[in-house]
Amino acid sequence: MSEAAFRERNLPVGSIAHKSFGWWGMMTLIMTEASLFAYLLFAYYYFMVQYGREWISETPTVNLSLPNTAILLLSSVFVWWGEKGAKKGRQGQQASGLASGVVLGTIFIAIQVLEWRQKAFTLASSSYGSSFFVTTGFHMAHVAAGVLMLAAVFAWSLLGYFDARRNAAISIAAVYWHFVDLVWLAIFFTFYITPHMG
């Protein structure tokens, strides 16, 4: 069997993302995870309506969360750019975009952990603490999973597994990453902006 035939049959990459089982599997996962976050955010708003601002253990600041939001959004831009490079057969652009996504995602996690350590409340101190840490914790776990996905497709990029025709795995990892970013915007608005609103 030739090297090209081996790659065509056995490597974990496909050609067109939206026609692959992996794409539809990822869409199903995203819908399931979106439901999880919808329930978590619903719980926050339910308690906020029931108990008002007194329910919030600590008035949130955006000192770390706002730059962290910018970092995550920038990572999404780089991943999109890398995906576009893959579709055009530009391996340098593809690898650079994916690597930037991995680095920025890792920085996001580190800043989130730093913010957690600065909180005066804990997971067990109140229902607000539980809501905050569970919601941001689940999101951080999703960011970590996304970083691992991006790292895998980055490694495969370095090994030359992708070209302009075969790059479905990059698109699948990218759509998950954009979902994670979108969820963070909802979390950021909920936990960091709404307490300052009337």
Side-chain angles (χ1 to χ4, degrees), residues 6-93:
F6 174 78
R7 285 190 179 197
E8 186 74 25
R9 291 181 57 193
N10 296 311
L11 293 180
V13 295
S15 52
I16 301 171
H18 68 275
K19 292 185 179 178
S20 71
F21 287 118
W23 174 264
W24 291 109
M26 182 57 73
M27 291 298 104
T28 303
L29 175 69
I30 285 172
M31 287 187 289
T32 303
E33 299 303 295
S35 299
L36 167 70
F37 284 107
Y39 287 127
L40 290 172
L41 294 177
F42 172 80
Y44 172 91
Y45 287 112
Y46 175 81
F47 282 115
M48 181 67 95
V49 168
Q50 291 296 314
Y51 302 109
R53 292 177 57 135
E54 302 82 38
W55 177 67
I56 298 173
S57 300
E58 174 186 299
T59 303
T61 65
V62 295
N63 296 347
L64 291 175
S65 61
L66 186 60
N68 223 13
T69 301
I71 287 168
L72 203 58
L73 292 175
L74 184 61
S75 75
S76 209
V77 171
F78 274 110
V79 169
W80 170 83
W81 182 69
E83 181 187 8
K84 292 299 174 193
K87 290 178 179 178
K88 294 180 180 178
R90 298 178 184 160
Q91 293 184 343
Q93 178 180 337

Side-chain angles (χ1 to χ4, degrees), residues 73-144:
L73 292 175
L74 184 61
S75 75
S76 209
V77 171
F78 274 110
V79 169
W80 170 83
W81 182 69
E83 181 187 8
K84 292 299 174 193
K87 290 178 179 178
K88 294 180 180 178
R90 298 178 184 160
Q91 293 184 343
Q93 178 180 337
Q94 166 189 311
S96 297
L98 295 172
S100 298
V102 169
V103 170
L104 291 170
T106 304
I107 291 170
F108 176 89
I109 292 171
I111 292 173
Q112 186 71 54
V113 169
L114 177 63
E115 183 182 2
W116 276 9
R117 290 184 177 174
Q118 293 179 357
K119 293 296 180 191
F121 55 89
T122 66
L123 176 67
S125 63
S126 65
S127 58
Y128 175 79
S130 296
S131 180
F132 177 84
F133 283 109
V134 168
T135 305
T136 58
F138 268 117
H139 181 263
M140 193 184 325
H142 284 74
V143 173

